[in-house]
Amino acid sequence: MKYLHSLWLSIRGLYENLFLYPDWRNFLDIAIIAVLIYYLISVLLRTRASSVFKGIGVFFVCTWLSKIMELNVVSWALQQFINTGVIVIVILFQPELRRTLEQIGRRSTLSHSSSKQSAKSSDECVSAIVQAMTNMSRKRIGALIVIERKTGLREFEETGTFIDAEITSPLLENIFEPNTPLHDGATIIRNRRIQASACILQLSDDPTISKELGTRHRAAIGITETTDAISLIVSEETGIISMAREGKLTRYIDNKALTQILTEIFSNDKTSLGRKNYRLKTNAKREEKTIGEN
């Protein structure tokens, strides 16, 4: 806790100097720190570290409450953890910190390309994925599709081949066609676009998973245990379509259920695009009105 107290004294001294003895250097210091914090948060929000940071926030709240309620034993235990907090954070976020430093040193092509490209409507994406999954199920072609949601999956994209293409049924079927370069591994979808294929995922170590399920199903479950992503699987042996969400596997999904699931996933994107289109139409009407008045 002494580290937190020292940090608080430093922050208070900074603001006292800022308001009592204003100087342009103080404002420059604050601006630089604000930019660094914003960049760090924006990078971490696109990774699994965002969930860990939420846990750290809850941990500090518990520490503060234990101090107020005078829970001496709990407060002492939490303080011991805080004393080594810097080392723990470095160990936990070693991959994220390394990736952040790499992005500072070089311009990441993955972070800008998707925003420059257009994406299909949600209904077209749903139709394309359902058709591809149905065709691969009938032909018993193994497939693993991971749909990114709030938690970023860029660290897994980097293990595969970057594609950045529109979602179409022929493309998905061609990716998972046996004996092709990209058929082995997972295909990641973000912002209604195929971002990368042949991506390597961490397998789930849950001992309750059936022995009948192979590495494809274990990888699909594993990615949903640490992120909020949704995995769609086609079994190569049986052709059964399955879905993994929050570490749970649901099997024997038919076309109707798959359509409902995908519609739910893409509904947020559809709503945001609808609002954007509404704003564009409103601005266009205003410009037409202004031109007519002139």
Side-chain angles (χ1 to χ4, degrees):
M1 190 62 67
K2 60 181 181 180
Y3 295 105
L4 295 178
H5 182 67
S6 176
L7 178 61
W8 168 250
L9 292 178
S10 300
I11 296 175
R12 187 175 65 179
L14 174 63
Y15 280 94
E16 287 179 353
N17 292 333
L18 177 63
F19 291 104
L20 296 180
Y21 309 101
D23 189 3
W24 65 270
R25 297 179 181 84
N26 295 335
F27 293 100
L28 180 61
D29 283 339
I30 295 177
I32 294 175
I33 293 299
V35 171
L36 292 177
I37 293 176
Y38 172 80
Y39 181 79
L40 180 62
I41 293 176
S42 63
V43 171
L44 292 178
L45 285 178
R46 297 194 297 267
T47 66
R48 294 178 296 172
S50 58
S51 301
V52 180
F53 260 104
K54 294 177 183 178
I56 293 177
V58 173
F59 178 83
F60 276 105
V61 171
C62 293
T63 304
W64 176 66
L65 291 176
S66 64
K67 192 70 174 180
I68 294 179
M69 300 175 64
E70 297 183 354
L71 302 177
N72 297 327
V73 177
V74 176
S75 179
W76 176 85
L78 295 177
Q79 288 179 16
Q80 300 307 311
F81 181 82
I82 291 176
N83 291 338
T84 58
V86 176
I87 300 177
V88 172
I89 289 176
V90 171
I91 295 175
L92 287 176
F93 299 118
Q94 187 272 335
E96 285 75 13
L97 292 174
R98 176 179 57 82
R99 190 171 297 106
T100 300
L101 293 176
E102 290 177 353
Q103 290 181 359
I104 294 176
R106 60 177 174 83
R107 182 176 180 179
S108 175
T109 57
L110 291 176
S111 61
H112 301 283
S113 58
S114 60
S115 61
K116 297 179 181 179
Q117 302 293 336
S118 60
K120 286 189 174 182
S121 66
S122 59
D123 294 337
E124 292 175 328
C125 293
V126 170
S127 177
I129 296 175
V130 171
Q131 182 179 353
M133 297 287 287
T134 303
N135 293 339
M136 290 186 292
S137 174
R138 185 179 64 256
K139 300 176 184 178
R140 293 192 178 184
I141 298 176
L144 173 53
I145 299 175
V146 180
I147 302 176
E148 178 184 298
R149 307 192 77 183
K150 293 182 180 179
T151 305
L153 303 178
R154 297 180 186 275
E155 56 185 292
F156 300 103
E157 293 178 19
E158 295 176 357
T159 64
T161 301
F162 182 62
I163 296 180
D164 190 24
E166 291 185 349
I167 301 175
T168 62
S169 176
L171 178 57
L172 288 173
E173 294 180 43
N174 187 69
I175 288 175
F176 293 106
E177 185 69 25
N179 301 322
T180 56
L182 301 179
H183 84 282
D184 192 16
T187 293
I188 297 178
I189 293 178
R190 183 180 73 249
N191 297 333
R192 290 177 292 168
R193 294 183 63 85
I194 301 175
Q195 295 297 328
S197 293
C199 301
I200 301 175
L201 307 181
Q202 183 177 359
L203 303 183
S204 174
D205 55 359
D206 188 352
T208 62
I209 298 177
S210 175
K211 301 294 184 180
E212 299 177 356
L213 301 178
T215 56
R216 181 176 288 110
H217 289 79
R218 289 184 175 273
I221 297 174
I223 191 65
T224 63
E225 289 176 341
T226 56
T227 69
D228 60 350
I230 294 180
S231 301
L232 301 175
I233 315 102
V234 176
S235 174
E236 186 175 355
E237 291 76 15
T238 63
I240 296 174
I241 299 177
S242 306
M243 179 197 68
R245 174 188 289 182
E246 298 179 354
K248 304 297 182 181
L249 183 68
T250 303
R251 306 191 70 190
Y252 301 98
I253 297 180
D254 56 15
N255 291 355
K256 182 178 179 181
L258 182 59
T259 301
Q260 292 177 349
I261 293 170
L262 293 174
T263 302
E264 175 189 352
I265 295 173
F266 293 118
S267 61
N268 293 334
D269 292 339
K270 186 175 181 180
T271 302
S272 61
L273 285 176
R275 293 176 179 175
K276 182 178 180 180
N277 292 334
Y278 174 78
R279 289 195 297 267
L280 291 175
K281 291 179 180 179
T282 302
N283 293 334
K285 290 181 179 179
R286 290 177 179 175
E287 291 179 359
E288 291 177 358
K289 184 178 179 180
T290 303
I291 293 175
E293 292 177 352
N294 294 336

